[in-house]
Amino acid sequence: MSGQNPTHPDLFVSVAGTGEFSISLRATKRFEINEILAAVTGSRQAERTYQTVQCGPAQEDNLQLDSDLVYANHSCEPNTFWDLTSHGISEWHVRAVKTIEVGDEITFFYPSTEWDMEQPFNCRCRTASCLGHIAGAKHLASSKLENRGGINTWIMRLSEEKDEGRVEQ
């Protein structure tokens, strides 16, 4: 775990790959659809990094992850949804949107939480609906957000406002 103690060793293991940003999070148990994998925990901060998740409509609404979940990677066809829609941080969680088998990589759709990413990247998920370049929901048509396992409410609201011309493109 890159010198860090695992926070959920009964649920996940991180696996180092080759190259920069190539650590993945793998399931150590099976998860059924709609099963909650873990709570999303951390501390709120204004600064965005690759270890933060946007947790509200403002670019300053970020959560510095403090668990193994920091190693969950992006997929355009994810197997989890990071549900940050509750008003209480204690209710934020990661939920399976597909059956996850032992050894499967834990993935989520980054634009489901990120409006305008600080570090855009070229996606390597190779799924049928791969979007290619991932820069945040701001850079996608609303139709591209559909069928991704879930999108947080502020992302959908900002996307609808963008489509209506009420948010900067």
Side-chain angles (χ1 to χ4, degrees):
M1 293 280 315
S2 302
Q4 180 176 325
N5 290 328
T7 57
H8 298 88
D10 55 328
L11 303 177
F12 315 116
V13 62
S14 66
V15 178
T18 56
E20 190 177 19
F21 302 112
S22 65
I23 296 176
S24 63
L25 190 64
R26 304 280 173 165
T28 59
K29 66 168 269 194
R30 177 185 168 104
F31 295 96
E32 299 295 335
I33 295 172
N34 288 322
E35 185 175 350
I36 293 176
L37 281 67
V40 177
T41 60
S43 56
R44 289 188 101 135
Q45 65 178 43
E47 181 184 355
R48 292 185 296 163
T49 72
Y50 74 94
Q51 292 184 333
T52 60
V53 174
Q54 189 174 340
C55 58
Q59 289 293 96
E60 299 80 31
D61 292 334
N62 299 289
L63 186 71
Q64 175 70 44
L65 297 172
D66 65 359
S67 74
D68 300 335
L69 293 174
V70 73
Y71 299 116
N73 288 320
H74 166 83
S75 176
C76 293
E77 294 179 16
N79 56 16
T80 68
F81 169 55
W82 291 43
D83 190 346
L84 311 178
T85 57
S86 173
H87 292 293
I89 190 172
S90 64
E91 297 176 33
W92 293 352
H93 62 272
V94 175
R95 181 172 29 88
V97 295
K98 298 177 180 176
T99 299
I100 300 171
E101 301 292 345
V102 172
D104 284 355
E105 183 175 6
I106 305 300
T107 60
F108 77 105
F109 184 61
Y110 285 7
S112 71
T113 63
E114 306 300 316
W115 180 244
D116 191 18
M117 293 175 61
E118 197 69 23
Q119 292 181 302
F121 62 95
N122 291 322
C123 184
R124 297 178 290 180
C125 75
R126 298 186 184 106
T127 61
S129 65
C130 184
L131 297 171
H133 189 73
I134 305 300
K138 175 182 179 178
H139 306 279
L140 298 171
S142 295
S143 62
K144 297 289 185 182
L145 298 175
E146 297 170 1
N147 303 315
R148 304 287 175 176
I151 302 294
N152 281 282
T153 53
W154 71 87
I155 295 292
M156 285 308 300
R157 186 177 63 250
L158 288 170
S159 184
E160 290 165 1
E161 290 173 3
K162 180 187 80 164
D163 289 350
E164 295 168 0
R166 296 186 291 144
V167 170
E168 176 189 324
Q169 301 227 13

